[in-house]
Amino acid sequence: MAFKSDFMWGAASAAAQVEGAYNEDGKGLSIWDVLYDGHTKHNDSPHIACDHYHRLEEDVENMKKIGLKYYRFSVSWPRIIPDGTGTVNQKGLDFYRKLVDLLLKAGIEPMITLYHWDLPYELYKKGGWQNDESPEWFAQYVKVVVEALSDKVKYWMTINEPNCFIGISYLGATHAPFLNDKDALYPCTRNVLFAHARAVKVIRETARTTPIVGFAPTGPIFKPENDSEEAIRIAYEKTFSNDIKGPFSTGWWIDPAVLGKNPVGLDDYFGKPLFTHEELQEIRQPLDFLGFNIYIAAGHKQGNSAYETNEYIGCPRNSLNWPIDPDCMYWAIRFLNERYGLPVLITENGMCNNDFVMLDGKVHDPQRIDYIHRHLLAARKAVDEGYKLIGYIYWSIMDNYEWAEGYDPRFGLIYVDYRTQKRTLKDSAYWYKEVIASNGANL
């Protein structure tokens, strides 16, 4: 059985991970451009990345070869406004205008994410997301982008994975700005959610074509231990509680934005209310869909076991050592539908693998094909049961800069030789092309 005829098949990237050209044509510095030093594998930086900035035509042509219907990409805030506020860099807007035009000419619908972690460094020096002015800074930037591109772009996502760029950046020092400051969580949570809400308002007030607006968080999805109603209830409650995963939790970020409710348990966590009733009404802005990034089922330590509850001895893993369990896709779609009532768009799902060009000049990646296949079957199961899923966006279109992990993990459908920037479509790219062409009927 195929998916619905209007199912959204695509792939994704993020500006800091693919563009390069970090100091060209008026671009300002981001926190990743500056603060990577001493914090990443091999001290890898995003300064060149995939050189996508200079290779738009080739990259869009490859997307066309794969048959993508949608391409989700992010706009670099410091490429548009180098200092974060103030003077606009027209060359930055021209770059994204060119990308949008190339996509539309290739029959690919552009989907813009307005923030995917590359905070302008000048704003970081002013406190970044800890500064209560940050929602206004973000709103000003969003207005510039929407005014420039909304005549041709319909799909907008405000913010990608606040769980990560706040959780593992301010509580764990794993991502830029590499801090470990629990006190930062309260102002950052408030300001990021206010920024999301301000952005939704700006998009709806400013867009020149009717916008379709969403949010792209991630979060732990717990699987039931068995098929009983009690086990399903427990897994659901774990998924939307905040006592196991803290700021990495699903409900921490989505409950205020979609339900207009303070996340479960956060008053106790912070020792004071996170939002007033009036503030929650401001944060709860109408969304057309809920994006969600899903890679693994959630687990946690239990008893004296050396394995978390989502692992077992010898379980399959990707090259980042994440356990693989396709059922997480079904439960994500089901639980998100049941709690939030919005159509779900899988905005990221994918597998990093130890890919390389083989003697025949090709990149054979059967594990990735199997990974996508199994996750899509789980997605179709959810759809067959009546849960609303509007599309699947694979992460990522090409191998890229995997943040603190550098360039070793390869998630792409397209292999990138970073020494030469040569692109090679992997077997998974050709397989995904057939899936798209059949609308999933060949699964």
Side-chain angles (χ1 to χ4, degrees), residues 33-95:
D33 294 326
V34 178
L35 301 176
Y36 78 89
D37 193 15
H39 291 101
T40 64
K41 292 280 182 69
H42 317 298
N43 219 37
D44 286 345
S45 84
H47 290 174
I48 299 173
C50 305
D51 197 32
H52 178 62
Y53 188 81
H54 298 113
R55 298 169 185 269
L56 284 185
E57 289 86 355
E58 177 186 6
D59 288 339
V60 173
E61 182 60 30
N62 280 333
M63 295 176 205
K64 185 178 179 180
K65 287 179 182 177
I66 297 171
L68 293 190
K69 303 297 184 184
Y70 293 82
Y71 175 50
R72 177 190 173 218
F73 62 94
S74 77
V75 171
S76 168
W77 188 346
R79 195 177 294 284
I80 302 301
I81 306 178
D83 292 329
T85 60
T87 304
V88 174
N89 177 30
Q90 185 59 46
K91 287 186 177 179
L93 289 173
D94 292 344
F95 167 75

Side-chain angles (χ1 to χ4, degrees), residues 93 97 140-151 156 202 206-208:
L93 289 173
R97 186 79 179 182
Q140 292 172 12
Y141 151 70
V142 169
K143 190 171 190 292
V144 171
V145 176
V146 175
E147 285 179 340
L149 301 177
S150 62
D151 59 328
W156 301 89
V202 169
T206 308
R208 291 189 273 170

Side-chain angles (χ1 to χ4, degrees), residues 2 11 60 93 114 153 195 225 343 357 380 388:
V60 173
L93 289 173
L114 288 157
V153 176
E225 292 184 1
V357 178
R380 193 167 68 187
K388 292 178 286 186

Side-chain angles (χ1 to χ4, degrees), residues 378-422:
R380 193 167 68 187
K381 176 185 175 185
V383 170
D384 290 345
E385 291 180 9
Y387 298 106
K388 292 178 286 186
L389 178 70
I390 59 174
Y392 175 85
I393 309 297
Y394 179 79
W395 181 271
S396 59
I397 182 60
M398 67 183 88
D399 297 336
N400 56 46
Y401 181 63
E402 191 50 42
W403 308 111
E405 295 293 333
Y407 291 97
D408 288 347
R410 294 179 177 272
F411 278 91
L413 296 169
I414 300 169
Y415 180 91
V416 178
D417 183 332
Y418 299 111
R419 301 165 300 174
T420 64
Q421 294 296 339
K422 181 180 179 181

Side-chain angles (χ1 to χ4, degrees), residues 196-314:
H196 157 77
R198 291 288 303 279
V200 175
K201 280 185 173 181
V202 169
I203 295 166
R204 296 204 185 281
E205 292 168 358
T206 308
R208 291 189 273 170
T209 56
T210 302
I212 301 170
V213 185
F215 180 33
T218 187
I221 301 293
F222 286 89
K223 282 178 50 181
E225 292 184 1
N226 54 55
D227 294 335
S228 70
E229 290 186 10
E230 177 66 7
I232 293 170
R233 181 190 64 79
I234 290 172
Y236 177 92
E237 290 180 355
K238 282 184 179 179
T239 293
F240 297 108
S241 72
N242 301 287
D243 58 347
I244 299 175
K245 297 292 185 179
F248 310 102
S249 298
T250 303
W252 185 298
W253 301 96
I254 310 180
D255 280 7
V258 178
L259 300 180
K261 294 182 178 180
N262 274 311
V264 176
L266 258 62
D267 286 4
D268 292 335
Y269 187 94
F270 289 121
K272 54 185 174 181
L274 183 59
F275 298 108
T276 67
H277 175 76
E278 291 74 18
E279 288 172 334
L280 286 167
Q281 302 317 301
E282 178 183 344
I283 289 168
R284 185 188 188 186
Q285 294 296 316
L287 297 176
D288 300 301
F289 66 92
L290 177 61
F292 197 74
N293 301 345
I294 180 73
Y295 294 89
I296 62 175
H300 61 95
K301 286 289 185 184
Q302 194 169 54
N304 296 320
S305 174
Y307 294 94
E308 293 202 349
T309 52
N310 61 337
E311 303 171 307
Y312 56 87
I313 185 169

